[in-house]
Every structure is written in structure tokens, then in C-alpha cells.
Amino acid sequence: MQAGSSGVGYGLKYQVHLIRLSADGTELICEGLFSHPNEIWDLRSCPFDQRIFTTVYSTGESYGAAVWQIPELYGQLNSPQLERVALLDAHVSKIKCVLWWPSGRNDKLVSIDEENLFLWSLDSSKKAAQVQSKESAGTMHYLSGGAWDPHDVNSIAATCESSVQFWDLRTMTKTSSIDVSHVRTIDYDTKKDHILVTAEDETGIHIWDLRKTKVPIRELPGHTHWTWAVACNPEYDGLILSGGTDSAVNLWLAPTGSRDEITSDSGQNSLSLKVDPLVNSYTDYEDSVYGLAWSSREPWIFASLSYDGRVVVESVKPYLSRK
Amino acid sequence: MEMEDPPLDDKARRMRDLLSSFYAPDPSMSAGSQPKGASFDNIDTDSFDADQYMNLLVQKANLEGLLQRHVEMAAEIKNLDTDLQMLVYENYNKFISATDAIKRMKSNIVGMESNMEQLLDKIMSVQSRSDGVNTSLFGKREHIEKLHRTRNLLRKVQFIYDLPARLGKCIKTEAYADAVRFYTGAMPIFKAYGESSFQDCKRASEEAVVTITKNLQGKLFSDSESIQTRAEAAVLLKQLDFPVDGLKVRLFEKLEQSMGDLQVKIGDIAGALEESNDEHENNLQLGFSVPHDASVREFVEAVRAYRIIFPDSESQLIKLSEDLITKHFLTTEQYMKERVSTATFLRVLRIIWNDVLVIDEVLPEGLLHDYCFKVSQSAVKQYFSSTFSHLLQDVSDALMNVHVKPKDVSEEHHLQVALESGKNSLLKGSMDLLLGLRQLLEDNLDLLVKLRELMTDWVQAGFQQFFEALDTRFLLLSGRNKLSSQGQSPREGLQSEKVICGLVLVLAQLSVFVEQTAIPRITEARTEMAASFSGSGARGYEHGPFFLPAEICRVFRSASEKFLHHHKEPREVHMFVDLFLQELEAVGNEVKQILSQGIRKHRRSESNGSTTSSLSNPLRDDKLRRSNTQQARSQLLETHLAKLFKQKVEIFTKVEFTRESVVTTIIKLGLKSLQEFVRLQTLNRSGFQQIQLDIQFLRTPLKELAEDEAAIDFLLDEVIVGASDRCLDPTPLEPPILDKLIQAKTAETREQNSSAASSTTQQRL
């Protein structure tokens, strides 16, 4: 359980925290505190090397993105410098996020800014990243985020104001889109192909089947205010976590297995959906929750990050055993 | 010592063993025993080693013992010798006896063959004799048979020669049955010899039969003849190989035609009933039902006759009458497409039922009852659903009137009007509907009595579906389902958005109304109904899986909450204050139209008395004021600290259906959105100061409008804190400057919309 779940927090002082959950799961230990030169807007850790992560940062006027490596720690905690592996410096507009392929080793990175989509090939031994291809999303839409399909290394979903767009990385062309507005976060179901979960500002959480993009196969009410983050559990089917600006984290159980039945039901008889998809609501947060992550080692543990800089790690085991 | 006196069975066993070893294929056994051996048990085994045994014995025993042993052994060997000898003798004996037996068998078999041959000879002679007898009698028998045949033939010839005369006689006496019997009897002969010897006879009798057939047909088709005779005629015709089926078809065609006439008449009646809603009603109905009754009776008579005439035509008749019933109901359904009052529907049902009863008397096997039930079930069900859909149409029409033409003269009050009309049409419509259906239920028509249980269920299901449909309709109207009706939003644009806001409120309120008033009342009415027909209705009520008032309440509550959540402010930061206040005012107006005064006052006093607001308020204000005078950075720090010690404010509480609650929730949602929006921006100093100013300015009017002052204050502060967090140079404005600017702004606003403001304040006072 060495560094079983390492989350990284980012705050006003522009530091990166390496956090370790102790072996018995009851204590969070801050293993390292690294200073970061700029204000961090997005942070993603590498799925195959836990010492590598990417950040998107802002220098006040402009934006930048970089790949970092956590240096070896020799007992000291006094803000050592992070080793910069590569600088993703081809962007001109506001960078939104950098994506890793979540299902294994892949030396490609995708970075999304407001107007463009970049595919980088990362060579960590030479400490360099090169733009492999680039495509403009068009001036009509501002991209706001994205997710990499864990089932298909060539497919990526990017969110913009009025839709979710799907891109093929081989040809760098847009393949399809779902019309849904104000998506904050999207997440692929890592267990089931074709299932995508979106979190929208006002209309809550939608679960889509990518083969039938006209209407969502399931709708969850989301939060009393905006739903900001959403994350599918990597192990358990239909277990979805959402965080919102109403200072709460909700745990949903919305299996999509018998989706035909569900869609036909929801159309005509809402009474039949008697099972409340909301399993639990964690409400003891002081401020809005912006970050969520499931543990990759122990899929019943999740970490959440709220605006006041607190990381809370919870286990959903009691709710799993009940179901 | 132990071998001194061996037991007898032991000895016998040894004998047997020896014998078997003698006959065994293994020769080593026989050579096994040697005279040197001592008398241990294992002396008989294969692996007996004489030397070793000898050594052992010599070592163990003394001389005397050895000698004694020698004697014993010698005796034993002698014994064995005699035993063997005896065995050989016995063996030989058995061989001899076996040879004797074989010899005897051989001598016995020799005489058997000659006996058998004798037997065969005797049987052969018996057979030849019986054959002789048979041949001698054959000629005579043949002769007798021939004579018999001739006699029969002669008799038949006689009959055939007499046939024409006989037929003529039968025609005269109208004994057609006999005639037909004779003719059919003679038919085979005519067929065989008709061309040659009996030509004349055949012609004459055929002529007679043609006359018979004609007469019979005439009888069959003439209505004046008795049914019995007609039936007989039909049977006879059939026997004469006359194409009866063709006749049948023709008859049925006739019947069907008359049925068609009947059908039209029913339609007339229904139509007449429609028209005759006034005082002529009874007379007209009477006048029309007389010919109808007559035609039905006719039909029934015909059916009865045909049934007797063609006994195998039952299924066809049943089908015909089922068709009739179906057609009846089809006409009814046609009429149901327009609006039909329950009374009319009931009358039509009654007419149909009477018909069915009459027909059923004639055709009891047809189970027309059941069929009629089946058909009428669907008809009644359709009637119910059409009434419910009419009701739904009414309600949504009332609402759509607002939706379609929002620019009416009475724009101020159109929402109110809509609400009232919606309420009215909903409640009145459902009450009328219930009354009508109750009438239907209480009628003691047989058909309806049997359908009663089902009908109660249908009414319940109907209400359930009605409310569900209402729910979806509301959702649709509110524009919440943008996904499904996408074409709508871009086309109508901003204009419709505003209308929808108002409409959403109306719908929300209507939902609440449904929840609070309509459903309990309908349930009550339904319960009364249930009581009025003992048993059946109550059953439906208890088990009724369809009608769950509580469930509907829940659905509607959640629906109305959805409406409210949907209703959010534009999230623009820039110059949002005026827009926001305007919007709020508009919302306030709309809400005022809808929510009643009484509730409002009640809520007001309650909120004043709430301890949380009065407690936290001055405390926090004080802090803020003090900190304003201090240095900028430390002030921010203090706000942070204050926030730390302040108790967490529950921002999102459940929405009550009162004016204050709605407005407060809207304000809260707006502010929260602003806060989140600010957090995503990077501001410079002037931007921060702009926000600070805006928030400060908002503070007073919002508190006036909203109910939960603590939460509003908290949110306003949060916006400022968030803005300062996100500001590169968070230097707040000095309080005096802030005050001055706000005063200027207030004055300006007053000038701008003084009339509206004054009117609101007046109303407020």
C-alpha cells in the first residue's frame, strides 16, 4: 500500500502536495511539498508512473502546461524543486487540460486549449515533448475540457459550450458529437464500453450510450447547485461519484445494464423507477467540491478536494455491502 | 502333540484338498508331500522345506520326542495311502455308472422315428378326406347364392318400375320426405342402368324429383311456411344433392343485408341522441327506438329460423351477431371521438345491451355475453381515456392561452388569469368527470354491473395516467425537456425565455395546487364512490395498485422543485446588478400574482421570529464595519477568520411554495452562481472593486426581498471573498467612497423606475 492513492493538492501558494494514505487507511500523510512556479489550474497524474504528473498553470496573463517528475525524497520536506520533464509550449490560447490515456502505458499526451487540440509524443528519457499533430476545433466553440476513452487509444471526448465532441486522434477529425450544454466534466466508464457520464451545471448528471447519442439513457438529479465533477468507479458497475458547488459529494448507483428497460420505463411511467439512485450524500464539506478521484488500488476509496483546500478520503464500503 | 488326535472334519478337509490337487492342472501339488515332514499345519504348503523342518525338529526335540514323532508320521503316511486308494475306487465307480446311463439312452431313442412317421401319415389322410367333402358341396352352394341374387334384383326392378308412380303419389300428398327417400334409394340403379333398360323410368322419376325440388325450394324461401317445414325442406334438398350451400350463402347474404340496415338505424339513433339534448329528448328517443326494436326483433327471428334450418350454421350466425355487436361499438366509438356526455354514452350502451340480450336468447351457445363484455370493455376504456384526454386538453389549453399570446392587454395579470383558469379547469373538469363516471358506475345495467370492478380500476388508472400526463405536459411547457424539443429554444430565443419563467411559476404553483387540493378532493370523491357501491369499489381502493395519491404528490412536488431550479438568473458578471434587480422585481411581480397574501404574511412573521437570522446578523455586520476601517489585507484575513468561526450556513434548503421562499431561493441560486463564476476568473484591482461595490449595493435590496438574511449575507460575503482570492491586487474600496457611490446609484435607480419601486413599496406596506 506504499503510495496507494496519491492525490495532489494545489493552493494559493502554488505548491504541489504529495499525499499518502497510510496503510490502515485512517490517516493522510503529506509526503512531500513541492513548490510550483505558477498558479495551477489543472493537474493530472500519470497512470503508469506515479512520480510523473502534468499541470496546467497560469502566469497571470498567459497559460502554460508542463510534465513534471517528483524528485526522489531523502527525508527532507522543505519544498524541493520539481523536475520538469517537458514543457508543452505550443499553445497560444487558454489551456484547459492535459490528458493521459487512462488504461496503460502510452507515450502520447493530449492537451486541450480553448481552440485547439494537440497530440504530443512524450519522450521522458530525452526530457522532451514534441507536437505530433494539432487540430483547430473551430472558432465557433470554446473547448472546456475532455476525457480520453479508456477503451480506445485513438478516441477522445472534448467538451465545449454546447456539445461534447468526439475526436479521432489518428486523423485528427471530429467523428461525432452529443448536443448537451454547459458540461463541466465528462468521464468514461472504464468497465463498460460506450458509456459516458457527463456533469452539467444545471441539469445534473447524464449517462450516455455513445451508440445512441440522441437522448441520455439515464438522468440523475445531480446537486442543488452546479454539478462540477463526476467520476465513475473503476471496478463497480454503475457506481458514480459527483461533487458539486453545494458543498456535497453524492454517491450514485445507476447501473446501465438493462438500459432498454430503463429507457422505455422512464418514458411513460416514472413511478416504476422506485429505486433511488442516490446512495449517499457526503455533506460535511465547508465549501464547493471541485476535485474527485477513485483510488486505483482499492476501488472503494475515493478522495475529494474542496475549495478550502481540504482533501477528504472516504470509503464507500459500507454502502457497497448493503447493495 | 497337537496332531495326536486330528478332528474328523479336519481330516475330511484334507481329503478334499488332496482330491482337488489330484485333478488340478498344477502337478507340483501332488509331489508336494514327503514322508519326512513333521505335523505342523504348514506341512501341506508348497513352500515346505523338508531339510529346514528336519533341522528345526532335531534342534528342538529330544530323542524320545523324535522317535515318537517318527511313529506318528509313519501312521499318518499309511492313512494317507488308504485314503488315496479309496478315492481311486470311488472315481472308477462313477465312470462305470455314467457309461451305463449313456448306453440306456441310446437304446431308448431307436424306436421314436417310426412312431413319428405313422402320425404324419394319419394326418395326411384326414386332410384329403375333408377336401373331398368340400368340393362335392361347392356346386350346390353356388347355385343357392345365384338364386338369391336374382330374387333381389327382381325386387329392385319392381321397385324402380313403380318409382314414378310412387313419386307422383308422394307429390300429391306432399310427403316429400318419403319421395326423397325412394329416389335416393333408386339413384344407384339409375346411375348404372339409366342409359339402357330403365330409360323411361328414369326420365319420369327425374321429372317428378325436379317438381319436388322446386316445391321444396319454394317452401324454404317462403317466410310464411313454418320454420319446421322450412328446416325439413332444407334437409331434403340437401339429400337430393341440391347445392344447399349456395342457398345458405344467399340466405345469409340476405340476413347480412338486413343487418346492415339495422346498423344504419343504430347510427341514426346515436346521432339523434346527440342532437336531442333538449326537451325533445325523451320523445325522440322513444320514436327512434321503436323502429330499432322492430328491426332487432326481425333479426332475432331470422337468426332463430336459420338456426333451425341450418343446424351447422351456428358458428356463422355467432360470427354475424358478433359482427353486429362490434359494429355497434364501432359506431359508438366514432361518436366518442367528439365529446359525448356520460348520459348519452350510457344510453347508447343500454341500447346495445338490450340488443345483445335479445340475441343471446336465441343463440345461447354464442356466449355473446362474454363477447359483448370483451368489446364493451375496450369501448368503455376508450371512453374513459378519451374523457381524460379531453380533460388534459382543457387544462393545457387554459395554460397555453398564456403561453401563446403573452403580449395581451392585461399582461400584468395574465399569469394570475392563467393560474386561476388552470386551477378551475383542472378541478371542475375532474369533478365533472368523476360525477359522470359515477353515474356510469351507479347505473344498474347488467353489463355495467359486471364491468363495475374493472371500471373502478380504470377510473383509478385513468386518474393516475392523467396526472402523469399532466406532469409531463408541465415539464414540456417549462422547457425543461430542452433535449427532446430542441427546435424550440433557438427559434424563440430570449423572448420565450422570459415567458417561460412566468409560466414555470404558474406551473409550479399549479402543481402545488394539484398536490394540496385537487388530489385529496378527488380521492375523497373517489372514496365516496367506493362506499356507494359496497365491496367492489372498496376492493379496488385497497388493492388499487394504480392510484397512489401520495406517490402523485411526491411526483408533483419534485416536478415543481425542478421548475424552480430551472429558473436561474443570467450569469453575467458585467453590469449584472441592474439586470439582476430588474429580473428579481419581475419575478417578484409574477410570484405576487400567484401566491396568496395570507400565506405571505404568515411566512413573514415566521421569518422575523427566526433566531438564526437575528443572532448572526448584527454580529457579522459589526465585524465587517470594523474591519472596513482597517487596512486592506488584514481585513481580508479577518473575513477569512470570521468565516472560520462562523457556523456553516445551510444555503440550500427545501423550497416552500410561498412567495418569499421562491424569491429567496432564486436569489440564493443567483448569488451562488456568481460566486462560482468569480472563482473562475482572474481579476485586476478595478474588477474586484467593481464587484465589491456591486455586492455592497445589492445587500440592502436583497435583504428586503429575501427571507433568509443570514444565508444571503453569507453568500454576498462569499462573493467578495472569492473575488479577493482571485484578484491580483485585492485592495478594497474605502468605506466612505463605497457609501457615496451606492447613494449615487440608489438615487439613479429611483429616478429610473420610481413608479415600479413605489408601487412595490406600497404593496409591501
Side-chain angles (χ1 to χ4, degrees), chain B residues 156-193:
Chain B
K156 270 181 201 161
V157 168
Q158 176 70 35
F159 172 73
I160 285 162
Y161 276 119
D162 287 351
L163 189 62
R166 227 184 265 197
L167 285 180
K169 222 195 273 172
C170 284
I171 289 169
K172 256 178 218 157
T173 54
E174 290 200 340
Y176 296 117
D178 291 339
V180 169
R181 194 154 44 79
F182 294 145
Y183 182 69
T184 43
M187 264 317 262
I189 295 164
F190 281 143
K191 251 179 208 158
Y193 309 103

Short mmCIF file of all heavy atoms in Angstrom, two decimals, chain B residues 156-193:
data_model
loop_
_atom_site.label_atom_id
_atom_site.label_comp_id
_atom_site.label_asym_id
_atom_site.label_seq_id
_atom_site.Cartn_x
_atom_site.Cartn_y
_atom_site.Cartn_z
N LYS B 156 -85.82 -55.24 -56.90
CA LYS B 156 -85.41 -53.87 -57.19
C LYS B 156 -86.04 -53.38 -58.48
O LYS B 156 -86.52 -52.25 -58.58
CB LYS B 156 -83.89 -53.82 -57.34
CG LYS B 156 -83.18 -53.55 -56.02
CD LYS B 156 -81.70 -53.48 -56.23
CE LYS B 156 -80.97 -53.74 -54.92
NZ LYS B 156 -79.58 -54.10 -55.14
N VAL B 157 -86.02 -54.25 -59.48
CA VAL B 157 -86.61 -53.87 -60.77
C VAL B 157 -88.06 -53.50 -60.58
O VAL B 157 -88.54 -52.47 -61.07
CB VAL B 157 -86.45 -55.02 -61.76
CG1 VAL B 157 -87.28 -54.78 -62.98
CG2 VAL B 157 -84.99 -55.17 -62.15
N GLN B 158 -88.71 -54.27 -59.79
CA GLN B 158 -90.11 -54.00 -59.49
C GLN B 158 -90.25 -52.61 -58.88
O GLN B 158 -91.06 -51.79 -59.30
CB GLN B 158 -90.61 -55.07 -58.50
CG GLN B 158 -92.02 -54.85 -58.02
CD GLN B 158 -93.00 -55.10 -59.15
OE1 GLN B 158 -92.79 -55.99 -60.01
NE2 GLN B 158 -94.07 -54.33 -59.23
N PHE B 159 -89.40 -52.32 -57.92
CA PHE B 159 -89.45 -51.04 -57.20
C PHE B 159 -89.24 -49.88 -58.16
O PHE B 159 -89.93 -48.87 -58.14
CB PHE B 159 -88.37 -51.04 -56.11
CG PHE B 159 -88.19 -49.73 -55.42
CD1 PHE B 159 -89.16 -49.30 -54.51
CD2 PHE B 159 -87.11 -48.94 -55.69
CE1 PHE B 159 -88.99 -48.10 -53.88
CE2 PHE B 159 -86.95 -47.72 -55.07
CZ PHE B 159 -87.89 -47.31 -54.16
N ILE B 160 -88.25 -50.06 -59.04
CA ILE B 160 -87.92 -48.98 -59.95
C ILE B 160 -89.06 -48.74 -60.94
O ILE B 160 -89.38 -47.61 -61.28
CB ILE B 160 -86.60 -49.27 -60.67
CG1 ILE B 160 -85.46 -49.04 -59.67
CG2 ILE B 160 -86.40 -48.39 -61.88
CD1 ILE B 160 -84.19 -49.67 -60.09
N TYR B 161 -89.64 -49.81 -61.40
CA TYR B 161 -90.78 -49.61 -62.30
C TYR B 161 -91.90 -48.87 -61.61
O TYR B 161 -92.61 -48.08 -62.22
CB TYR B 161 -91.26 -50.96 -62.85
CG TYR B 161 -90.45 -51.38 -64.06
CD1 TYR B 161 -89.70 -52.54 -64.08
CD2 TYR B 161 -90.45 -50.55 -65.19
CE1 TYR B 161 -88.94 -52.90 -65.17
CE2 TYR B 161 -89.69 -50.92 -66.29
CZ TYR B 161 -88.95 -52.09 -66.27
OH TYR B 161 -88.21 -52.41 -67.36
N ASP B 162 -92.04 -49.11 -60.34
CA ASP B 162 -93.12 -48.44 -59.61
C ASP B 162 -92.77 -47.01 -59.23
O ASP B 162 -93.63 -46.24 -58.85
CB ASP B 162 -93.41 -49.20 -58.30
CG ASP B 162 -94.14 -50.50 -58.61
OD1 ASP B 162 -94.52 -50.63 -59.78
OD2 ASP B 162 -94.28 -51.33 -57.70
N LEU B 163 -91.46 -46.64 -59.29
CA LEU B 163 -90.99 -45.38 -58.69
C LEU B 163 -91.73 -44.14 -59.20
O LEU B 163 -92.23 -43.36 -58.37
CB LEU B 163 -89.48 -45.23 -58.93
CG LEU B 163 -88.84 -44.07 -58.18
CD1 LEU B 163 -88.99 -44.28 -56.69
CD2 LEU B 163 -87.36 -43.97 -58.54
N PRO B 164 -91.84 -43.91 -60.51
CA PRO B 164 -92.51 -42.68 -60.93
C PRO B 164 -93.91 -42.55 -60.34
O PRO B 164 -94.27 -41.48 -59.85
CB PRO B 164 -92.56 -42.80 -62.45
CG PRO B 164 -91.48 -43.74 -62.80
CD PRO B 164 -91.36 -44.69 -61.67
N ALA B 165 -94.63 -43.64 -60.39
CA ALA B 165 -96.00 -43.58 -59.86
C ALA B 165 -95.97 -43.24 -58.38
O ALA B 165 -96.72 -42.37 -57.89
CB ALA B 165 -96.68 -44.94 -60.06
N ARG B 166 -95.07 -43.86 -57.70
CA ARG B 166 -94.99 -43.63 -56.26
C ARG B 166 -94.64 -42.17 -55.97
O ARG B 166 -95.20 -41.53 -55.08
CB ARG B 166 -93.92 -44.52 -55.67
CG ARG B 166 -94.41 -45.22 -54.42
CD ARG B 166 -93.31 -46.02 -53.82
NE ARG B 166 -93.39 -47.41 -54.29
CZ ARG B 166 -92.76 -48.42 -53.70
NH1 ARG B 166 -92.02 -48.20 -52.64
NH2 ARG B 166 -92.88 -49.63 -54.16
N LEU B 167 -93.68 -41.67 -56.74
CA LEU B 167 -93.28 -40.28 -56.53
C LEU B 167 -94.46 -39.35 -56.77
O LEU B 167 -94.69 -38.40 -56.02
CB LEU B 167 -92.13 -39.90 -57.48
CG LEU B 167 -90.76 -40.47 -57.11
CD1 LEU B 167 -89.71 -40.04 -58.13
CD2 LEU B 167 -90.33 -40.03 -55.73
N GLY B 168 -95.19 -39.63 -57.83
CA GLY B 168 -96.35 -38.79 -58.13
C GLY B 168 -97.32 -38.78 -56.97
O GLY B 168 -97.82 -37.73 -56.56
N LYS B 169 -97.49 -39.95 -56.43
CA LYS B 169 -98.40 -40.05 -55.29
C LYS B 169 -97.89 -39.19 -54.13
O LYS B 169 -98.64 -38.46 -53.49
CB LYS B 169 -98.49 -41.51 -54.84
CG LYS B 169 -99.93 -41.94 -54.50
CD LYS B 169 -99.88 -43.24 -53.74
CE LYS B 169 -99.87 -44.42 -54.73
NZ LYS B 169 -99.64 -45.71 -54.02
N CYS B 170 -96.60 -39.31 -53.91
CA CYS B 170 -95.99 -38.55 -52.80
C CYS B 170 -96.16 -37.06 -53.02
O CYS B 170 -96.44 -36.30 -52.09
CB CYS B 170 -94.51 -38.87 -52.69
SG CYS B 170 -94.21 -40.45 -51.96
N ILE B 171 -95.95 -36.59 -54.27
CA ILE B 171 -96.08 -35.16 -54.52
C ILE B 171 -97.50 -34.73 -54.21
O ILE B 171 -97.73 -33.66 -53.63
CB ILE B 171 -95.72 -34.86 -55.99
CG1 ILE B 171 -94.20 -35.05 -56.18
CG2 ILE B 171 -96.09 -33.43 -56.36
CD1 ILE B 171 -93.78 -35.02 -57.62
N LYS B 172 -98.43 -35.58 -54.60
CA LYS B 172 -99.82 -35.21 -54.36
C LYS B 172 -100.09 -35.05 -52.88
O LYS B 172 -100.75 -34.11 -52.43
CB LYS B 172 -100.73 -36.30 -54.95
CG LYS B 172 -101.38 -35.85 -56.27
CD LYS B 172 -102.21 -36.98 -56.83
CE LYS B 172 -102.08 -37.02 -58.35
NZ LYS B 172 -102.39 -38.35 -58.91
N THR B 173 -99.55 -35.99 -52.13
CA THR B 173 -99.81 -35.92 -50.68
C THR B 173 -98.78 -35.06 -49.95
O THR B 173 -98.80 -34.99 -48.72
CB THR B 173 -99.78 -37.33 -50.07
OG1 THR B 173 -98.52 -37.92 -50.45
CG2 THR B 173 -100.91 -38.18 -50.57
N GLU B 174 -97.87 -34.45 -50.69
CA GLU B 174 -96.81 -33.60 -50.12
C GLU B 174 -95.95 -34.36 -49.14
O GLU B 174 -95.37 -33.78 -48.21
CB GLU B 174 -97.40 -32.35 -49.45
CG GLU B 174 -97.97 -31.39 -50.45
CD GLU B 174 -98.11 -30.01 -49.89
OE1 GLU B 174 -98.13 -29.86 -48.66
OE2 GLU B 174 -98.15 -29.07 -50.69
N ALA B 175 -95.86 -35.66 -49.36
CA ALA B 175 -94.97 -36.43 -48.50
C ALA B 175 -93.58 -36.44 -49.12
O ALA B 175 -93.09 -37.45 -49.62
CB ALA B 175 -95.50 -37.86 -48.33
N TYR B 176 -92.97 -35.28 -49.10
CA TYR B 176 -91.70 -35.13 -49.81
C TYR B 176 -90.62 -35.99 -49.20
O TYR B 176 -89.73 -36.46 -49.89
CB TYR B 176 -91.26 -33.66 -49.80
CG TYR B 176 -92.22 -32.77 -50.56
CD1 TYR B 176 -92.92 -31.77 -49.93
CD2 TYR B 176 -92.39 -32.96 -51.94
CE1 TYR B 176 -93.78 -30.95 -50.62
CE2 TYR B 176 -93.26 -32.15 -52.62
CZ TYR B 176 -93.96 -31.15 -51.97
OH TYR B 176 -94.79 -30.38 -52.66
N ALA B 177 -90.72 -36.16 -47.93
CA ALA B 177 -89.68 -36.92 -47.26
C ALA B 177 -89.60 -38.33 -47.83
O ALA B 177 -88.51 -38.82 -48.17
CB ALA B 177 -89.96 -36.96 -45.77
N ASP B 178 -90.76 -38.97 -47.95
CA ASP B 178 -90.78 -40.33 -48.49
C ASP B 178 -90.25 -40.33 -49.92
O ASP B 178 -89.43 -41.18 -50.29
CB ASP B 178 -92.22 -40.86 -48.49
CG ASP B 178 -92.70 -41.10 -47.07
OD1 ASP B 178 -91.79 -41.23 -46.19
OD2 ASP B 178 -93.91 -41.11 -46.83
N ALA B 179 -90.73 -39.35 -50.66
CA ALA B 179 -90.32 -39.27 -52.06
C ALA B 179 -88.82 -39.21 -52.17
O ALA B 179 -88.20 -39.94 -52.96
CB ALA B 179 -90.94 -38.04 -52.70
N VAL B 180 -88.25 -38.35 -51.36
CA VAL B 180 -86.81 -38.19 -51.43
C VAL B 180 -86.13 -39.49 -51.03
O VAL B 180 -85.15 -39.90 -51.65
CB VAL B 180 -86.38 -37.03 -50.51
CG1 VAL B 180 -84.86 -37.04 -50.36
CG2 VAL B 180 -86.84 -35.73 -51.06
N ARG B 181 -86.69 -40.16 -50.03
CA ARG B 181 -86.09 -41.41 -49.58
C ARG B 181 -86.10 -42.43 -50.72
O ARG B 181 -85.08 -43.07 -51.01
CB ARG B 181 -86.88 -41.95 -48.39
CG ARG B 181 -86.15 -43.05 -47.64
CD ARG B 181 -86.63 -43.10 -46.20
NE ARG B 181 -88.09 -42.98 -46.07
CZ ARG B 181 -88.94 -44.01 -46.30
NH1 ARG B 181 -88.50 -45.19 -46.64
NH2 ARG B 181 -90.25 -43.82 -46.17
N PHE B 182 -87.24 -42.57 -51.40
CA PHE B 182 -87.36 -43.51 -52.51
C PHE B 182 -86.34 -43.17 -53.59
O PHE B 182 -85.63 -44.04 -54.09
CB PHE B 182 -88.76 -43.47 -53.11
CG PHE B 182 -89.81 -43.95 -52.15
CD1 PHE B 182 -91.07 -43.40 -52.14
CD2 PHE B 182 -89.51 -44.99 -51.25
CE1 PHE B 182 -92.03 -43.85 -51.25
CE2 PHE B 182 -90.47 -45.43 -50.38
CZ PHE B 182 -91.73 -44.87 -50.37
N TYR B 183 -86.32 -41.91 -53.92
CA TYR B 183 -85.49 -41.50 -55.04
C TYR B 183 -84.02 -41.75 -54.76
O TYR B 183 -83.30 -42.30 -55.59
CB TYR B 183 -85.74 -40.03 -55.33
CG TYR B 183 -84.95 -39.56 -56.52
CD1 TYR B 183 -85.26 -40.01 -57.81
CD2 TYR B 183 -83.87 -38.70 -56.38
CE1 TYR B 183 -84.53 -39.60 -58.88
CE2 TYR B 183 -83.14 -38.27 -57.45
CZ TYR B 183 -83.48 -38.73 -58.72
OH TYR B 183 -82.74 -38.33 -59.78
N THR B 184 -83.63 -41.38 -53.59
CA THR B 184 -82.22 -41.60 -53.27
C THR B 184 -81.91 -43.08 -53.25
O THR B 184 -80.81 -43.50 -53.62
CB THR B 184 -81.85 -40.99 -51.91
OG1 THR B 184 -82.88 -41.30 -51.00
CG2 THR B 184 -81.63 -39.51 -52.00
N GLY B 185 -82.89 -43.92 -52.85
CA GLY B 185 -82.68 -45.37 -52.86
C GLY B 185 -82.45 -45.85 -54.28
O GLY B 185 -81.60 -46.72 -54.53
N ALA B 186 -83.19 -45.29 -55.20
CA ALA B 186 -83.11 -45.77 -56.58
C ALA B 186 -81.94 -45.19 -57.34
O ALA B 186 -81.63 -45.66 -58.43
CB ALA B 186 -84.41 -45.45 -57.30
N MET B 187 -81.37 -44.21 -56.79
CA MET B 187 -80.32 -43.48 -57.50
C MET B 187 -79.20 -44.36 -58.05
O MET B 187 -78.85 -44.26 -59.23
CB MET B 187 -79.70 -42.41 -56.60
CG MET B 187 -80.28 -41.03 -56.75
SD MET B 187 -80.55 -40.55 -58.41
CE MET B 187 -79.08 -39.59 -58.66
N PRO B 188 -78.65 -45.31 -57.25
CA PRO B 188 -77.53 -46.10 -57.77
C PRO B 188 -77.92 -46.91 -59.01
O PRO B 188 -77.12 -47.02 -59.94
CB PRO B 188 -77.18 -47.02 -56.59
CG PRO B 188 -77.98 -46.57 -55.45
CD PRO B 188 -78.91 -45.52 -55.84
N ILE B 189 -79.10 -47.40 -59.01
CA ILE B 189 -79.52 -48.21 -60.16
C ILE B 189 -79.65 -47.33 -61.38
O ILE B 189 -79.21 -47.69 -62.48
CB ILE B 189 -80.84 -48.92 -59.83
CG1 ILE B 189 -80.58 -49.90 -58.68
CG2 ILE B 189 -81.39 -49.62 -61.06
CD1 ILE B 189 -81.80 -50.36 -58.01
N PHE B 190 -80.22 -46.17 -61.17
CA PHE B 190 -80.34 -45.26 -62.31
C PHE B 190 -78.97 -44.91 -62.85
O PHE B 190 -78.78 -44.80 -64.05
CB PHE B 190 -81.07 -43.99 -61.89
CG PHE B 190 -82.56 -44.19 -61.81
CD1 PHE B 190 -83.31 -43.58 -60.83
CD2 PHE B 190 -83.21 -44.98 -62.76
CE1 PHE B 190 -84.66 -43.75 -60.76
CE2 PHE B 190 -84.57 -45.16 -62.69
CZ PHE B 190 -85.31 -44.56 -61.70
N LYS B 191 -78.12 -44.77 -61.95
CA LYS B 191 -76.78 -44.39 -62.40
C LYS B 191 -76.18 -45.51 -63.24
O LYS B 191 -75.53 -45.26 -64.26
CB LYS B 191 -75.89 -44.12 -61.19
CG LYS B 191 -75.58 -42.63 -61.03
CD LYS B 191 -74.73 -42.38 -59.82
CE LYS B 191 -75.01 -40.99 -59.30
NZ LYS B 191 -74.65 -40.84 -57.91
N ALA B 192 -76.39 -46.77 -62.83
CA ALA B 192 -75.77 -47.89 -63.52
C ALA B 192 -76.48 -48.22 -64.84
O ALA B 192 -75.83 -48.36 -65.88
CB ALA B 192 -75.78 -49.11 -62.60
N TYR B 193 -77.79 -48.30 -64.78
CA TYR B 193 -78.51 -48.78 -65.98
C TYR B 193 -79.40 -47.73 -66.59
O TYR B 193 -80.25 -48.03 -67.41
CB TYR B 193 -79.36 -50.00 -65.63
CG TYR B 193 -78.58 -51.06 -64.90
CD1 TYR B 193 -78.69 -51.25 -63.54
CD2 TYR B 193 -77.70 -51.89 -65.63
CE1 TYR B 193 -77.95 -52.20 -62.88
CE2 TYR B 193 -76.97 -52.84 -64.97
CZ TYR B 193 -77.10 -53.01 -63.61
OH TYR B 193 -76.38 -53.97 -62.97
#
